[in-house]
Amino acid sequence: ETICGGTGAGPDHDGCDAVHSHMTNTRLTDPEILEFRFPLMVDSFDIRRGSGGNGEYRGGDGIIRKIRFLEPMTVSILTNHRKVPPFGLMGGEEGALGANYVVGVDGSVKNLGHRGSVDIKAGETFVIETPGGGGFGAPAK
């Protein structure tokens, strides 16, 4: 499955929030389908406000998706912009880095970096924060 993020701003427009960019013939699985097919609950799926880079035109915001597992499962992920932020252009600021991590039942956090595979226990939550797009043009002062 592909997961959406924010797109970069351009010379005459803000970036888009929570969209697939540069992907064709793919879509995000509806939460209801995931919950029907797998022993999990999508606890939240929100726009990651403020993750787009500032600029004359603002980069689009990414998303935060929290998936709580009801049974033990193995999860794998492959992502970008977890170490190098989406760049801004013409003085626009960078978008926020993304993050992938597991929150344990006890509140502990295990960072997965940009790619990884992890065995998740029942009750643990897998969190995906996608990056925001870079801004365009110098921000107003």
Side-chain angles (χ1 to χ4, degrees), residues 53-57 87-94 134-140:
N54 201 10
E56 179 181 357
Y57 295 99
F87 56 87
L89 292 174
M90 305 299 292
E93 295 177 0
E94 298 172 335
F136 189 97

Side-chain angles (χ1 to χ4, degrees), residues 55-111:
E56 179 181 357
Y57 295 99
R58 190 166 173 70
D61 289 331
I63 61 103
I64 300 175
R65 192 171 183 194
K66 296 180 181 179
I67 304 169
R68 183 172 35 92
F69 287 81
L70 305 177
E71 295 178 14
M73 292 183 72
T74 300
V75 173
S76 297
I77 191 155
L78 174 64
T79 57
N80 287 320
H81 293 295
R82 274 32 181 193
K83 293 182 180 180
V84 177
F87 56 87
L89 292 174
M90 305 299 292
E93 295 177 0
E94 298 172 335
L97 289 171
N100 308 311
Y101 52 95
V102 176
V103 179
V105 178
D106 63 356
S108 62
V109 176
K110 179 179 182 180
N111 186 352

